[in-house]
Amino acid sequence: MSPGLLLDCDGVLADTERDGHLPAFNATFEEFGLPVRWSQEEYGRLLAIGGGKERLRTLLEPGLVARAGLPTDEDEQRELVARWHRAKTERYTALVRSGALPGRPGIARLVAEADAAGWRLAVASTSAEESVRAVLEHAVGPGLAARFDVFAGDVVPHKKPAPDIYLLALRETGLDPREVVVVEDSANGLRAALAAGLTTVVTVSSYTRDEDFTGAALVVTSLGDPPDDPATTLADPRGLEVDGAVRLEHLQRLLGPQQGATP
C-alpha cells in the first residue's frame, strides 16, 4: 500500500487567515450592514473555533441581534449564517484566484516529490470545499491539484480539534494510519491529527507560532525553498536535522525504515 501525505489547507498550503479570510469576513459584514469589524487580534482568538460558519455564529449574541435587527428564530438565524458564509466564500475564492495569496514555501516542491514517489495525496480541512480547491490549485498548480482527494467543509459532524475529518480521509482513501504523514499549522489541527493516530509535521503560520505543539514529530517555520526561503527548525524530537527544507526523505524517516519507501 502506498503511503499518504495529508495536508491541512489554511496556513499549510498558503498563509490565508490574516490576508484572505479576515478581509473577506469584514467585507461581508459591510455588505450585509453588520456593525462588526474583526481586528487581526480578535480574529486570531476566533481561530480557536473550527469552521467559518461556526465563527459567524458567535455574532448571534443577544446584544448584536437586537442592535442589527437580526432574526431571533433559530431556523432563520441558521439560514442567515449560511447566506453570510456563501457571500464570504465567494469573496475569498475570488481573492485566491486573483493570485493575492501565494503558496507557502516548499509546498509545491514537497507535493511534487511525494507524487513522483507514488504517495497518495489528500487535503483535510474545515474550510469550505470551494475555497480549499481554489487554494490547492493556486498553491501546487492544476496538474498536481487534480491528483488530490479533498475532504473539506461540512462533511463530518465535528470539526478540528475533533479527529473526524482525518478519520473520514483514512476511511475513504483506505490509507493505513501508520503510513500517513500530516502537515498542519495549528494546535487544533495537530490535536485532530494525533487523535486519529497520525504522525504530524507542523509548519507554523502567522497566527500560530506561539501555540503548543506537543506531540508533533517536527515543527518548522515552513517546508522551505532554499536558498531564498529556507525552513528554520523550531522543534525536532525525532532528530531529523532538517537543513533548510523538509524533504520526502524526512517524511519517510518519520514513518520508519519500511513504510514510506519509494516504490
Side-chain angles (χ1 to χ4, degrees):
M1 181 179 292
S2 299
L5 178 62
L6 270 58
L7 306 174
D8 179 38
C9 176
D10 296 309
V12 171
L13 296 177
D15 203 348
T16 55
E17 296 291 7
R18 183 185 59 197
D19 300 322
H21 287 291
L22 176 57
F25 275 120
N26 282 336
T28 301
F29 299 155
E30 184 175 3
E31 175 188 347
F32 282 86
L34 294 171
V36 178
R37 299 295 182 273
W38 285 336
S39 68
Q40 288 189 21
E41 293 74 19
E42 185 176 10
Y43 187 63
R45 292 191 292 272
L46 286 167
L47 290 176
I49 302 170
K53 285 194 287 294
E54 288 75 9
R55 290 169 203 150
L56 287 169
R57 288 190 190 112
T58 66
L59 300 178
L60 297 175
E61 50 88 16
L64 181 62
V65 168
R67 290 199 312 275
L70 302 178
T72 57
D73 177 78
E74 288 187 9
D75 290 337
E76 291 181 24
Q77 287 186 345
R78 192 176 302 111
E79 175 53 32
L80 182 59
V81 166
R83 284 171 53 206
W84 291 343
H85 192 255
R86 284 194 296 270
K88 178 262 173 181
T89 298
E90 289 176 4
R91 287 179 179 276
Y92 171 76
T93 303
L95 185 63
V96 171
R97 289 182 173 147
S98 76
L101 301 170
R104 291 199 65 193
I107 192 68
R109 171 189 53 75
L110 185 61
V111 165
E113 290 178 14
D115 181 62
W119 285 45
R120 187 80 176 262
L121 304 172
V123 173
S125 171
T126 57
S127 291
E129 183 176 347
E130 180 183 1
S131 298
V132 171
R133 290 190 180 276
V135 174
L136 177 63
E137 184 167 319
H138 187 66
V140 305
L144 278 175
R147 308 276 290 165
F148 276 78
D149 294 296
V150 174
F151 306 97
D154 297 323
V155 292
V156 290
H158 304 102
K159 296 188 176 181
K160 299 173 185 178
D164 300 31
I165 194 72
Y166 283 116
L167 295 175
L168 174 67
L170 292 172
R171 209 160 48 239
E172 293 294 317
T173 60
L175 287 166
D176 183 334
R178 295 168 298 178
E179 297 188 349
V180 171
V181 176
V182 170
V183 182
E184 271 284 358
D185 79 301
S186 70
N188 270 353
L190 172 63
R191 287 165 60 195
L194 293 178
L198 301 174
T199 301
T200 308
V201 171
V202 171
T203 59
V204 298
S205 59
S206 57
Y207 274 116
T208 67
R209 185 174 183 122
D210 296 326
E211 294 183 359
D212 181 3
F213 296 118
T214 301
L218 176 70
V219 183
V220 287
T221 53
S222 73
L223 295 174
D225 268 329
D228 296 330
D229 289 299
T232 298
T233 300
L234 303 177
D236 186 16
R238 304 282 187 91
L240 296 180
E241 298 182 354
V242 171
D243 184 17
V246 179
R247 304 190 184 279
L248 192 64
E249 64 188 75
H250 297 119
L251 306 191
Q252 291 169 338
R253 287 169 58 193
L254 289 177
L255 295 179
Q258 301 303 316
Q259 291 104 351
T262 303

